[in-house]
Amino acid sequence: MAPFKRHAYDAEFKLKAVGHAVEYGNRAAAREFNINESMVRKWRKQEDDLRQVKKTKQSFRGNKARWPLLEDKLEQWVVEQRAASRSVSTVTIRMKATALAQDMTIDAFRGGPSWCFRFMKIRNLSIRTRTTVSQQLPKDYQEKLVTFRAYCKKKITEKKIRPEHITNMDEVPLTFDIPVNRTVEKTETSTVSVRTTGNEKSSFTVVLACQANGQKLPPMIIFKRKTLPKENFPAGVVIKASPKGWMDEEKMSEWLREIYVKRPGGFFHTAPSLLIYDSMRAHITDAVKKQVKQTNSELAVIPGGLTKELQPLDIGVNRAFKARLRAAWEQWMTEGETHVHQDGDTAPGDLRHYLPMDRGCLG
């Protein structure tokens, strides 16, 4: 007896057979499409599912959801969050699923990472990147790149500036709930938008600096508040408060005095130095320029619009810093340590552990 050959039919074919069966009957559909009548009956039961999948899908393989009602509610929650342009991560999905399981008295539910990714696959969800319009470089950016690099090289050569005296500084704006550019979203969605929190009380700024030999300078944290938080902060982190939570002329002066001057070999201003940062207004006031000059330092201001090309911290550090900080935050959220102080702020961890600089970060 010749072996029986199985045929695979896609969802589009099955729906045609179902439509014919609805109008003329199961047997007529089986004769029309040259299939077994039992297959027609089976496909009619699956009609709702067949209409929700791709036309080319051929089978429903894999285990069925153990908690379909919970996952229905969870999928609806994800859709509602994305409709409001809120970011949704796998961590928040697991947290919401756990809360739903408690409300529905499902004791066996664990909501681990593997369950989350199975849920996303079944519900046609994936991790997407926010769609944005990239910033265009200035038309004369090539000329500005050459000019800036030539200026730095000239100063380093003329002053015989050593790598440990070449410093780059930059500010990183952050919020305590760390908004992200990636979110779980329906796979077929063409535009992915993410709304920021708008919670001004939870914003702060981290000022990072590194030297050409890979040495990290202590980070400065500027909280958006009038007074310093009453917390025991880790050593090696300089804490400041500002009503705007951002770098201004006063905080820039404090950074120069409390961090830049106190760097290794910088206190007595004996060695010539080079300080590199962007053209933010607080960086280039006359008072700040005079203070930099008093430290026996040359100032190299990166032209506007070219930080992503010339700012060493932008190119090799800030992104990794944010990624490590977010990983720590997600672990903190997963473990349930979400205590928030009465003033809306939380105490930061030791930010030095999230700095990825090792060596040669300006080289």
Side-chain angles (χ1 to χ4, degrees):
M1 181 178 178
F4 178 75
K5 184 177 180 180
R6 295 177 62 89
H7 294 277
Y9 303 98
D10 58 28
E12 185 177 16
F13 178 89
K14 294 175 184 178
L15 286 172
K16 288 180 180 178
V18 169
H20 195 90
V22 171
E23 186 172 357
Y24 302 105
N26 293 347
R27 291 184 181 179
R31 289 193 298 269
E32 177 68 20
F33 292 92
N34 194 26
I35 54 178
N36 193 291
E37 184 184 349
S38 63
M39 298 171 67
V40 178
R41 292 195 297 269
K42 179 181 177 182
W43 293 346
R44 292 190 67 174
K45 294 179 181 179
Q46 297 177 338
E47 183 177 2
D48 291 340
D49 293 332
L50 289 170
R51 294 189 183 281
Q52 295 179 13
V53 300
K54 294 181 179 180
K55 294 181 180 180
T56 56
K57 187 173 180 63
Q58 294 182 340
S59 63
F60 294 100
R61 294 188 177 90
N63 297 327
K64 293 184 178 180
R66 186 176 176 184
W67 303 282
L69 182 58
L70 182 149
E71 295 190 3
D72 287 343
K73 291 184 177 181
L74 185 60
E75 181 185 14
Q76 182 61 32
W77 176 81
V78 172
V79 171
E80 291 173 355
Q81 296 300 304
R82 295 302 307 130
S85 294
R86 298 189 182 97
S87 174
V88 179
S89 70
T90 55
V91 173
T92 55
I93 285 179
R94 291 167 57 193
M95 292 174 62
K96 182 62 177 180
T98 302
L100 288 173
Q102 292 176 351
D103 294 340
M104 299 170 66
T105 63
I106 302 176
D107 297 331
F109 182 79
R110 295 293 178 268
S114 58
W115 166 84
C116 182
F117 285 106
R118 286 198 303 271
F119 162 76
M120 290 169 56
K121 184 177 181 180
I122 294 172
R123 300 293 172 145
N124 198 27
L125 298 168
S126 62
I127 298 175
R128 307 286 301 281
T129 300
R130 179 176 59 182
T131 51
T132 58
V133 179
S134 59
Q135 183 182 10
Q136 293 185 351
L137 293 170
K139 293 181 179 180
D140 57 345
Y141 84 96
Q142 288 284 5
E143 180 182 347
K144 290 183 177 180
L145 288 177
V146 173
T147 302
F148 180 82
R149 288 169 176 160
Y151 171 82
C152 291
K153 185 176 181 180
K154 178 182 178 182
K155 291 297 181 182
I156 292 171
T157 303
E158 287 181 353
K159 302 286 185 177
K160 298 181 180 180
I161 302 174
R162 297 176 57 83
E164 61 268 26
H165 297 297
I166 303 174
T167 305
N168 178 221
M169 182 271 281
D170 191 26
E171 295 89 357
V172 182
L174 296 169
T175 56
F176 282 107
D177 51 1
I178 310 181
V180 294
N181 289 334
R182 295 171 68 84
T183 180
V184 173
E185 177 62 282
K186 287 292 186 178
T187 305
E188 68 273 9
T189 303
S190 59
T191 301
V192 181
S193 60
V194 176
R195 188 178 67 182
T196 57
T197 64
N199 186 357
E200 296 179 352
K201 290 185 178 180
S202 65
S203 63
F204 64 102
T205 299
V206 177
V207 185
L208 302 178
C210 63
Q211 297 172 307
N213 64 347
Q215 176 70 36
K216 296 175 289 187
L217 300 188
M220 173 188 280
I221 305 175
I222 306 174
F223 289 110
K224 188 172 185 179
R225 49 187 297 153
K226 294 181 180 179
T227 60
L228 290 176
K230 296 180 180 179
E231 299 289 339
N232 294 321
F233 293 98
V237 179
V238 178
I239 307 298
K240 297 293 178 180
S242 170
K244 294 184 178 180
W246 187 240
M247 180 68 83
D248 54 21
E249 184 176 349
E250 179 184 355
K251 292 296 174 284
M252 185 64 203
S253 177
E254 293 176 6
W255 181 85
L256 289 169
R257 185 171 60 253
E258 300 180 30
I259 295 178
Y260 182 67
V261 169
K262 294 182 179 180
R263 73 192 189 281
F267 188 77
F268 295 104
H269 318 317
T270 54
S273 304
L274 179 66
L275 178 57
I276 304 170
Y277 51 53
D278 59 42
S279 56
M280 179 185 177
R281 181 176 298 179
H283 297 168
I284 56 176
T285 64
D286 291 339
V288 168
K289 289 181 178 179
K290 182 178 179 181
Q291 191 174 352
V292 171
K293 202 69 176 179
Q294 291 172 348
T295 64
N296 194 18
S297 298
E298 296 292 335
L299 184 59
V301 179
I302 299 171
L306 293 180
T307 54
K308 67 179 182 180
E309 299 288 333
L310 295 172
Q311 178 89 276
L313 284 165
D314 261 2
I315 296 170
V317 175
N318 290 354
R319 184 177 179 181
F321 167 73
K322 291 179 180 179
R324 294 189 184 189
L325 191 61
R326 175 163 181 81
W329 176 82
E330 290 205 4
Q331 181 181 1
W332 176 63
M333 291 289 288
T334 304
E335 293 173 353
E337 298 177 5
T338 55
H339 173 70
V340 180
H341 299 302
Q342 293 181 354
D343 58 6
D345 290 339
T346 57
D350 192 343
L351 294 179
R352 294 171 300 170
H353 297 311
Y354 308 124
L355 296 175
M357 297 173 282
D358 290 319
R359 60 178 63 87
C361 53
L362 292 177

